[in-house]
mmCIF file of all heavy atoms in Angstrom:
data_model
loop_
_atom_site.group_PDB
_atom_site.id
_atom_site.type_symbol
_atom_site.label_atom_id
_atom_site.label_comp_id
_atom_site.label_asym_id
_atom_site.label_seq_id
_atom_site.Cartn_x
_atom_site.Cartn_y
_atom_site.Cartn_z
ATOM 1 N N TYR A 1 103.577 89.427 45.921
ATOM 2 C CA TYR A 1 103.955 89.273 47.355
ATOM 3 C C TYR A 1 102.798 88.778 48.221
ATOM 4 O O TYR A 1 102.783 89.015 49.407
ATOM 5 C CB TYR A 1 104.511 90.627 47.861
ATOM 6 C CG TYR A 1 105.702 91.103 47.129
ATOM 7 C CD1 TYR A 1 105.690 92.358 46.547
ATOM 8 C CD2 TYR A 1 106.846 90.351 47.008
ATOM 9 C CE1 TYR A 1 106.781 92.833 45.853
ATOM 10 C CE2 TYR A 1 107.934 90.807 46.315
ATOM 11 C CZ TYR A 1 107.900 92.071 45.740
ATOM 12 O OH TYR A 1 109.007 92.534 45.073
ATOM 13 N N HIS A 2 101.821 88.141 47.595
ATOM 14 C CA HIS A 2 100.679 87.561 48.367
ATOM 15 C C HIS A 2 101.191 86.477 49.306
ATOM 16 O O HIS A 2 101.867 85.530 48.889
ATOM 17 C CB HIS A 2 99.634 87.003 47.427
ATOM 18 C CG HIS A 2 98.453 86.462 48.169
ATOM 19 N ND1 HIS A 2 97.534 87.255 48.797
ATOM 20 C CD2 HIS A 2 98.058 85.179 48.360
ATOM 21 C CE1 HIS A 2 96.605 86.501 49.345
ATOM 22 N NE2 HIS A 2 96.889 85.231 49.107
ATOM 23 N N GLY A 3 100.950 86.649 50.566
ATOM 24 C CA GLY A 3 101.389 85.657 51.556
ATOM 25 C C GLY A 3 102.654 86.095 52.285
ATOM 26 O O GLY A 3 103.050 85.477 53.309
ATOM 27 N N LEU A 4 103.305 87.132 51.787
ATOM 28 C CA LEU A 4 104.479 87.650 52.521
ATOM 29 C C LEU A 4 104.028 88.803 53.403
ATOM 30 O O LEU A 4 103.325 89.722 52.962
ATOM 31 C CB LEU A 4 105.526 88.184 51.537
ATOM 32 C CG LEU A 4 106.430 87.167 50.895
ATOM 33 C CD1 LEU A 4 107.337 87.857 49.877
ATOM 34 C CD2 LEU A 4 107.272 86.447 51.896
ATOM 35 N N GLY A 5 104.420 88.794 54.651
ATOM 36 C CA GLY A 5 104.085 89.876 55.518
ATOM 37 C C GLY A 5 104.801 91.156 55.200
ATOM 38 O O GLY A 5 105.863 91.125 54.535
ATOM 39 N N ASP A 6 104.277 92.321 55.625
ATOM 40 C CA ASP A 6 104.929 93.605 55.317
ATOM 41 C C ASP A 6 106.297 93.676 55.989
ATOM 42 O O ASP A 6 107.149 94.441 55.531
ATOM 43 C CB ASP A 6 104.058 94.736 55.856
ATOM 44 C CG ASP A 6 102.756 94.880 55.050
ATOM 45 O OD1 ASP A 6 102.740 94.424 53.920
ATOM 46 O OD2 ASP A 6 101.804 95.415 55.573
ATOM 47 N N TRP A 7 106.503 92.908 57.029
ATOM 48 C CA TRP A 7 107.785 92.958 57.778
ATOM 49 C C TRP A 7 108.831 92.003 57.220
ATOM 50 O O TRP A 7 109.957 92.051 57.701
ATOM 51 C CB TRP A 7 107.498 92.620 59.244
ATOM 52 C CG TRP A 7 106.774 91.323 59.373
ATOM 53 C CD1 TRP A 7 105.433 91.163 59.426
ATOM 54 C CD2 TRP A 7 107.333 90.055 59.510
ATOM 55 N NE1 TRP A 7 105.112 89.846 59.537
ATOM 56 C CE2 TRP A 7 106.281 89.125 59.581
ATOM 57 C CE3 TRP A 7 108.610 89.543 59.542
ATOM 58 C CZ2 TRP A 7 106.448 87.773 59.712
ATOM 59 C CZ3 TRP A 7 108.808 88.180 59.651
ATOM 60 C CH2 TRP A 7 107.758 87.298 59.747
ATOM 61 N N GLU A 8 108.500 91.129 56.258
ATOM 62 C CA GLU A 8 109.461 90.166 55.730
ATOM 63 C C GLU A 8 110.645 90.901 55.121
ATOM 64 O O GLU A 8 110.475 91.749 54.284
ATOM 65 C CB GLU A 8 108.808 89.287 54.701
ATOM 66 C CG GLU A 8 107.823 88.290 55.219
ATOM 67 C CD GLU A 8 108.489 87.096 55.865
ATOM 68 O OE1 GLU A 8 109.707 86.913 55.749
ATOM 69 O OE2 GLU A 8 107.757 86.305 56.501
ATOM 70 N N PRO A 9 111.860 90.544 55.558
ATOM 71 C CA PRO A 9 113.052 91.248 55.043
ATOM 72 C C PRO A 9 113.161 91.240 53.540
ATOM 73 O O PRO A 9 113.518 92.250 52.924
ATOM 74 C CB PRO A 9 114.205 90.543 55.712
ATOM 75 C CG PRO A 9 113.610 89.878 56.955
ATOM 76 C CD PRO A 9 112.215 89.591 56.559
ATOM 77 N N ILE A 10 112.865 90.095 52.890
ATOM 78 C CA ILE A 10 113.020 90.046 51.450
ATOM 79 C C ILE A 10 112.029 90.962 50.743
ATOM 80 O O ILE A 10 112.361 91.567 49.758
ATOM 81 C CB ILE A 10 112.842 88.584 50.938
ATOM 82 C CG1 ILE A 10 113.265 88.424 49.481
ATOM 83 C CG2 ILE A 10 111.423 88.068 51.095
ATOM 84 C CD1 ILE A 10 114.721 88.624 49.216
ATOM 85 N N ARG A 11 110.847 91.133 51.305
ATOM 86 C CA ARG A 11 109.870 92.029 50.710
ATOM 87 C C ARG A 11 110.321 93.484 50.854
ATOM 88 O O ARG A 11 110.232 94.265 49.915
ATOM 89 C CB ARG A 11 108.481 91.857 51.375
ATOM 90 C CG ARG A 11 107.442 92.730 50.771
ATOM 91 C CD ARG A 11 106.070 92.413 51.325
ATOM 92 N NE ARG A 11 105.080 93.242 50.664
ATOM 93 C CZ ARG A 11 103.789 93.037 50.787
ATOM 94 N NH1 ARG A 11 103.347 92.020 51.502
ATOM 95 N NH2 ARG A 11 102.935 93.834 50.170
ATOM 96 N N VAL A 12 110.851 93.823 52.033
ATOM 97 C CA VAL A 12 111.331 95.212 52.248
ATOM 98 C C VAL A 12 112.445 95.528 51.324
ATOM 99 O O VAL A 12 112.502 96.611 50.731
ATOM 100 C CB VAL A 12 111.738 95.400 53.752
ATOM 101 C CG1 VAL A 12 112.371 96.754 53.951
ATOM 102 C CG2 VAL A 12 110.535 95.222 54.638
ATOM 103 N N ILE A 13 113.366 94.598 51.110
ATOM 104 C CA ILE A 13 114.489 94.813 50.259
ATOM 105 C C ILE A 13 114.073 94.967 48.786
ATOM 106 O O ILE A 13 114.465 95.865 48.097
ATOM 107 C CB ILE A 13 115.561 93.653 50.403
ATOM 108 C CG1 ILE A 13 116.207 93.752 51.776
ATOM 109 C CG2 ILE A 13 116.604 93.701 49.330
ATOM 110 C CD1 ILE A 13 116.978 92.524 52.171
ATOM 111 N N LEU A 14 113.215 94.027 48.353
ATOM 112 C CA LEU A 14 112.808 94.040 46.961
ATOM 113 C C LEU A 14 111.877 95.238 46.611
ATOM 114 O O LEU A 14 111.932 95.722 45.488
ATOM 115 C CB LEU A 14 112.097 92.724 46.575
ATOM 116 C CG LEU A 14 113.029 91.502 46.596
ATOM 117 C CD1 LEU A 14 112.220 90.276 46.269
ATOM 118 C CD2 LEU A 14 114.159 91.694 45.622
ATOM 119 N N GLU A 15 111.121 95.686 47.567
ATOM 120 C CA GLU A 15 110.279 96.872 47.344
ATOM 121 C C GLU A 15 111.071 98.168 47.563
ATOM 122 O O GLU A 15 110.534 99.246 47.422
ATOM 123 C CB GLU A 15 109.019 96.842 48.232
ATOM 124 C CG GLU A 15 108.041 95.776 47.784
ATOM 125 C CD GLU A 15 106.758 95.798 48.638
ATOM 126 O OE1 GLU A 15 106.790 96.389 49.741
ATOM 127 O OE2 GLU A 15 105.805 95.154 48.189
ATOM 128 N N ASN A 16 112.319 98.020 48.004
ATOM 129 C CA ASN A 16 113.216 99.164 48.239
ATOM 130 C C ASN A 16 112.657 100.129 49.259
ATOM 131 O O ASN A 16 112.712 101.347 49.110
ATOM 132 C CB ASN A 16 113.496 99.892 46.902
ATOM 133 C CG ASN A 16 114.827 100.591 46.989
ATOM 134 O OD1 ASN A 16 115.648 100.326 47.846
ATOM 135 N ND2 ASN A 16 115.078 101.461 46.059
ATOM 136 N N GLU A 17 112.082 99.558 50.305
ATOM 137 C CA GLU A 17 111.495 100.385 51.367
ATOM 138 C C GLU A 17 112.502 100.485 52.504
ATOM 139 O O GLU A 17 112.369 99.757 53.517
ATOM 140 C CB GLU A 17 110.191 99.830 51.890
ATOM 141 C CG GLU A 17 109.092 99.875 50.860
ATOM 142 C CD GLU A 17 107.773 99.331 51.432
ATOM 143 O OE1 GLU A 17 107.686 99.139 52.654
ATOM 144 O OE2 GLU A 17 106.872 99.122 50.641
ATOM 145 N N GLU A 18 113.536 101.287 52.424
ATOM 146 C CA GLU A 18 114.539 101.349 53.439
ATOM 147 C C GLU A 18 114.166 102.376 54.521
ATOM 148 O O GLU A 18 114.924 103.272 54.822
ATOM 149 C CB GLU A 18 115.872 101.644 52.827
ATOM 150 C CG GLU A 18 116.365 100.584 51.938
ATOM 151 C CD GLU A 18 117.764 100.770 51.448
ATOM 152 O OE1 GLU A 18 118.477 101.615 52.013
ATOM 153 O OE2 GLU A 18 118.135 100.139 50.453
ATOM 154 N N LYS A 19 113.007 102.199 55.102
ATOM 155 C CA LYS A 19 112.606 103.065 56.178
ATOM 156 C C LYS A 19 112.627 102.206 57.484
ATOM 157 O O LYS A 19 112.638 100.982 57.451
ATOM 158 C CB LYS A 19 111.213 103.626 55.954
ATOM 159 C CG LYS A 19 110.158 102.590 55.728
ATOM 160 C CD LYS A 19 108.860 103.180 55.305
ATOM 161 C CE LYS A 19 107.824 102.085 55.029
ATOM 162 N NZ LYS A 19 106.653 102.544 54.429
ATOM 163 N N PHE A 20 112.578 102.860 58.615
ATOM 164 C CA PHE A 20 112.626 102.148 59.866
ATOM 165 C C PHE A 20 111.399 101.316 60.037
ATOM 166 O O PHE A 20 110.297 101.757 59.768
ATOM 167 C CB PHE A 20 112.732 103.166 61.051
ATOM 168 C CG PHE A 20 112.717 102.436 62.341
ATOM 169 C CD1 PHE A 20 113.886 101.768 62.819
ATOM 170 C CD2 PHE A 20 111.587 102.395 63.150
ATOM 171 C CE1 PHE A 20 113.894 101.098 64.035
ATOM 172 C CE2 PHE A 20 111.610 101.717 64.368
ATOM 173 C CZ PHE A 20 112.733 101.095 64.797
ATOM 174 N N HIS A 21 111.578 100.083 60.474
ATOM 175 C CA HIS A 21 110.492 99.176 60.741
ATOM 176 C C HIS A 21 110.733 98.582 62.092
ATOM 177 O O HIS A 21 111.866 98.387 62.497
ATOM 178 C CB HIS A 21 110.464 98.091 59.644
ATOM 179 C CG HIS A 21 109.152 97.373 59.594
ATOM 180 N ND1 HIS A 21 108.897 96.312 60.438
ATOM 181 C CD2 HIS A 21 108.058 97.514 58.854
ATOM 182 C CE1 HIS A 21 107.679 95.823 60.198
ATOM 183 N NE2 HIS A 21 107.198 96.569 59.230
ATOM 184 N N GLU A 22 109.715 98.259 62.812
ATOM 185 C CA GLU A 22 109.891 97.766 64.164
ATOM 186 C C GLU A 22 110.586 96.430 64.248
ATOM 187 O O GLU A 22 111.248 96.066 65.244
ATOM 188 C CB GLU A 22 108.542 97.699 64.904
ATOM 189 C CG GLU A 22 107.532 96.801 64.255
ATOM 190 C CD GLU A 22 106.164 96.956 64.804
ATOM 191 O OE1 GLU A 22 105.612 98.056 64.843
ATOM 192 O OE2 GLU A 22 105.597 95.937 65.304
ATOM 193 N N LYS A 23 110.508 95.607 63.197
ATOM 194 C CA LYS A 23 111.106 94.250 63.209
ATOM 195 C C LYS A 23 112.502 94.279 62.596
ATOM 196 O O LYS A 23 113.361 93.465 62.960
ATOM 197 C CB LYS A 23 110.229 93.253 62.533
ATOM 198 C CG LYS A 23 108.941 93.034 63.296
ATOM 199 C CD LYS A 23 108.534 91.617 63.216
ATOM 200 C CE LYS A 23 107.233 91.459 63.948
ATOM 201 N NZ LYS A 23 107.170 90.318 64.738
ATOM 202 N N ILE A 24 112.736 95.102 61.576
ATOM 203 C CA ILE A 24 114.047 95.135 60.940
ATOM 204 C C ILE A 24 114.493 96.575 60.737
ATOM 205 O O ILE A 24 113.628 97.493 60.642
ATOM 206 C CB ILE A 24 114.028 94.432 59.558
ATOM 207 C CG1 ILE A 24 112.973 95.014 58.637
ATOM 208 C CG2 ILE A 24 113.824 92.939 59.688
ATOM 209 C CD1 ILE A 24 113.045 94.454 57.255
ATOM 210 N N ASP A 25 115.752 96.764 60.668
ATOM 211 C CA ASP A 25 116.277 98.114 60.509
ATOM 212 C C ASP A 25 117.320 98.101 59.382
ATOM 213 O O ASP A 25 118.398 97.530 59.527
ATOM 214 C CB ASP A 25 116.946 98.572 61.839
ATOM 215 C CG ASP A 25 117.445 99.996 61.712
ATOM 216 O OD1 ASP A 25 117.056 100.700 60.755
ATOM 217 O OD2 ASP A 25 118.210 100.415 62.611
ATOM 218 N N LEU A 26 116.939 98.670 58.260
ATOM 219 C CA LEU A 26 117.844 98.686 57.126
ATOM 220 C C LEU A 26 118.410 100.104 56.910
ATOM 221 O O LEU A 26 118.868 100.442 55.848
ATOM 222 C CB LEU A 26 117.075 98.269 55.864
ATOM 223 C CG LEU A 26 116.542 96.851 55.850
ATOM 224 C CD1 LEU A 26 115.698 96.634 54.607
ATOM 225 C CD2 LEU A 26 117.645 95.857 55.931
ATOM 226 N N THR A 27 118.360 100.944 57.934
ATOM 227 C CA THR A 27 118.744 102.357 57.784
ATOM 228 C C THR A 27 120.202 102.598 58.009
ATOM 229 O O THR A 27 120.676 103.677 57.775
ATOM 230 C CB THR A 27 117.964 103.212 58.759
ATOM 231 O OG1 THR A 27 118.185 102.758 60.094
ATOM 232 C CG2 THR A 27 116.495 103.176 58.451
ATOM 233 N N ASP A 28 120.973 101.597 58.476
ATOM 234 C CA ASP A 28 122.424 101.817 58.660
ATOM 235 C C ASP A 28 123.091 101.849 57.309
ATOM 236 O O ASP A 28 123.055 100.883 56.530
ATOM 237 C CB ASP A 28 123.045 100.683 59.470
ATOM 238 C CG ASP A 28 122.765 100.820 60.935
ATOM 239 O OD1 ASP A 28 122.381 101.922 61.377
ATOM 240 O OD2 ASP A 28 122.926 99.857 61.677
ATOM 241 N N ASN A 29 123.680 102.980 56.967
ATOM 242 C CA ASN A 29 124.425 103.119 55.737
ATOM 243 C C ASN A 29 125.903 102.832 56.029
ATOM 244 O O ASN A 29 126.535 103.668 56.682
ATOM 245 C CB ASN A 29 124.239 104.494 55.101
ATOM 246 C CG ASN A 29 122.809 104.714 54.642
ATOM 247 O OD1 ASN A 29 122.159 103.753 54.168
ATOM 248 N ND2 ASN A 29 122.327 105.913 54.796
ATOM 249 N N LEU A 30 126.409 101.734 55.544
ATOM 250 C CA LEU A 30 127.805 101.412 55.749
ATOM 251 C C LEU A 30 128.503 101.494 54.408
ATOM 252 O O LEU A 30 128.220 100.694 53.542
ATOM 253 C CB LEU A 30 127.938 100.001 56.332
ATOM 254 C CG LEU A 30 127.359 99.792 57.734
ATOM 255 C CD1 LEU A 30 127.343 98.331 58.106
ATOM 256 C CD2 LEU A 30 128.162 100.610 58.736
ATOM 257 N N TYR A 31 129.307 102.482 54.232
ATOM 258 C CA TYR A 31 130.015 102.665 52.970
ATOM 259 C C TYR A 31 131.370 101.959 53.059
ATOM 260 O O TYR A 31 131.987 101.888 54.126
ATOM 261 C CB TYR A 31 130.237 104.170 52.698
ATOM 262 C CG TYR A 31 128.914 104.911 52.589
ATOM 263 C CD1 TYR A 31 128.459 105.666 53.645
ATOM 264 C CD2 TYR A 31 128.138 104.775 51.459
ATOM 265 C CE1 TYR A 31 127.249 106.340 53.574
ATOM 266 C CE2 TYR A 31 126.931 105.431 51.364
ATOM 267 C CZ TYR A 31 126.492 106.205 52.407
ATOM 268 O OH TYR A 31 125.286 106.884 52.322
ATOM 269 N N ALA A 32 131.850 101.456 51.923
ATOM 270 C CA ALA A 32 133.062 100.665 51.880
ATOM 271 C C ALA A 32 134.261 101.449 52.418
ATOM 272 O O ALA A 32 135.110 100.874 53.124
ATOM 273 C CB ALA A 32 133.328 100.226 50.448
ATOM 274 N N GLU A 33 134.337 102.732 52.156
ATOM 275 C CA GLU A 33 135.456 103.554 52.631
ATOM 276 C C GLU A 33 135.480 103.709 54.136
ATOM 277 O O GLU A 33 136.523 103.983 54.748
ATOM 278 C CB GLU A 33 135.446 104.967 51.980
ATOM 279 C CG GLU A 33 135.265 105.017 50.514
ATOM 280 C CD GLU A 33 133.806 104.914 50.057
ATOM 281 O OE1 GLU A 33 132.952 105.607 50.663
ATOM 282 O OE2 GLU A 33 133.558 104.158 49.153
ATOM 283 N N GLU A 34 134.312 103.583 54.745
ATOM 284 C CA GLU A 34 134.197 103.837 56.212
ATOM 285 C C GLU A 34 133.969 102.597 57.020
ATOM 286 O O GLU A 34 133.661 102.650 58.203
ATOM 287 C CB GLU A 34 132.995 104.787 56.428
ATOM 288 C CG GLU A 34 133.064 106.087 55.694
ATOM 289 C CD GLU A 34 131.777 106.889 55.788
ATOM 290 O OE1 GLU A 34 130.820 106.392 56.405
ATOM 291 O OE2 GLU A 34 131.741 107.974 55.236
ATOM 292 N N SER A 35 134.043 101.382 56.400
ATOM 293 C CA SER A 35 133.706 100.156 57.064
ATOM 294 C C SER A 35 134.838 99.139 57.038
ATOM 295 O O SER A 35 135.737 99.232 56.203
ATOM 296 C CB SER A 35 132.490 99.535 56.410
ATOM 297 O OG SER A 35 131.413 100.426 56.342
ATOM 298 N N THR A 36 134.761 98.215 57.969
ATOM 299 C CA THR A 36 135.700 97.091 58.014
ATOM 300 C C THR A 36 134.893 95.806 58.218
ATOM 301 O O THR A 36 133.789 95.853 58.780
ATOM 302 C CB THR A 36 136.729 97.180 59.177
ATOM 303 O OG1 THR A 36 136.001 97.287 60.397
ATOM 304 C CG2 THR A 36 137.622 98.382 58.996
ATOM 305 N N ILE A 37 135.459 94.702 57.730
ATOM 306 C CA ILE A 37 134.782 93.424 57.834
ATOM 307 C C ILE A 37 135.510 92.604 58.880
ATOM 308 O O ILE A 37 136.736 92.534 58.923
ATOM 309 C CB ILE A 37 134.836 92.663 56.501
ATOM 310 C CG1 ILE A 37 134.063 93.473 55.468
ATOM 311 C CG2 ILE A 37 134.275 91.284 56.618
ATOM 312 C CD1 ILE A 37 134.186 92.902 54.038
ATOM 313 N N TRP A 38 134.703 91.978 59.791
ATOM 314 C CA TRP A 38 135.249 91.137 60.850
ATOM 315 C C TRP A 38 134.747 89.730 60.693
ATOM 316 O O TRP A 38 133.542 89.483 60.439
ATOM 317 C CB TRP A 38 134.785 91.665 62.205
ATOM 318 C CG TRP A 38 135.392 92.995 62.565
ATOM 319 C CD1 TRP A 38 135.011 94.219 62.153
ATOM 320 C CD2 TRP A 38 136.542 93.169 63.425
ATOM 321 N NE1 TRP A 38 135.818 95.173 62.652
ATOM 322 C CE2 TRP A 38 136.753 94.562 63.495
ATOM 323 C CE3 TRP A 38 137.330 92.356 64.148
ATOM 324 C CZ2 TRP A 38 137.798 95.091 64.213
ATOM 325 C CZ3 TRP A 38 138.353 92.867 64.932
ATOM 326 C CH2 TRP A 38 138.581 94.255 64.895
ATOM 327 N N ILE A 39 135.650 88.743 60.820
ATOM 328 C CA ILE A 39 135.274 87.296 60.780
ATOM 329 C C ILE A 39 136.045 86.663 61.950
ATOM 330 O O ILE A 39 137.246 86.757 62.039
ATOM 331 C CB ILE A 39 135.628 86.643 59.468
ATOM 332 C CG1 ILE A 39 134.931 87.341 58.287
ATOM 333 C CG2 ILE A 39 135.291 85.161 59.537
ATOM 334 C CD1 ILE A 39 135.311 86.769 56.942
ATOM 335 N N VAL A 40 135.308 85.998 62.815
ATOM 336 C CA VAL A 40 135.928 85.255 63.936
ATOM 337 C C VAL A 40 136.863 86.138 64.778
ATOM 338 O O VAL A 40 137.933 85.761 65.136
ATOM 339 C CB VAL A 40 136.639 83.973 63.449
ATOM 340 C CG1 VAL A 40 136.975 83.070 64.623
ATOM 341 C CG2 VAL A 40 135.870 83.230 62.410
ATOM 342 N N GLY A 41 136.438 87.365 64.996
ATOM 343 C CA GLY A 41 137.253 88.269 65.789
ATOM 344 C C GLY A 41 138.460 88.827 65.086
ATOM 345 O O GLY A 41 139.285 89.424 65.731
ATOM 346 N N LYS A 42 138.608 88.608 63.791
ATOM 347 C CA LYS A 42 139.730 89.086 63.029
ATOM 348 C C LYS A 42 139.272 90.158 62.036
ATOM 349 O O LYS A 42 138.302 89.949 61.324
ATOM 350 C CB LYS A 42 140.435 87.979 62.252
ATOM 351 C CG LYS A 42 141.035 86.915 63.112
ATOM 352 C CD LYS A 42 141.663 85.849 62.285
ATOM 353 C CE LYS A 42 142.250 84.761 63.189
ATOM 354 N NZ LYS A 42 142.872 83.679 62.395
ATOM 355 N N GLU A 43 139.963 91.300 61.995
ATOM 356 C CA GLU A 43 139.603 92.332 61.063
ATOM 357 C C GLU A 43 140.327 92.030 59.724
ATOM 358 O O GLU A 43 141.512 91.828 59.693
ATOM 359 C CB GLU A 43 140.075 93.694 61.581
ATOM 360 C CG GLU A 43 139.701 94.834 60.673
ATOM 361 C CD GLU A 43 140.113 96.176 61.283
ATOM 362 O OE1 GLU A 43 140.791 96.212 62.324
ATOM 363 O OE2 GLU A 43 139.749 97.219 60.642
#
């Protein structure tokens, strides 16, 4: 990961660091049973 910043989303995802970061937030847990998908204002 030389050259990738600590805040780079791909680095955070690949290192599995799902903690709060000031630039990205990966802490929202959306489970399939509790979520819906929206496209162009249509559920």
Side-chain angles (χ1 to χ4, degrees):
Y1 302 121
H2 181 70
L4 279 177
D6 292 338
W7 53 270
E8 288 284 349
I10 191 69
R11 183 174 183 168
V12 173
I13 291 168
L14 293 178
E15 288 183 345
N16 206 16
E17 293 182 13
E18 294 187 17
K19 57 187 177 190
F20 178 76
H21 196 277
E22 59 191 57
K23 295 215 180 223
I24 57 174
D25 183 14
L26 299 174
T27 57
D28 282 343
N29 293 325
L30 295 170
Y31 300 103
E33 310 83 45
E34 303 170 358
S35 304
T36 58
I37 297 175
W38 291 81
I39 301 177
V40 194
K42 296 179 182 179
E43 182 178 7

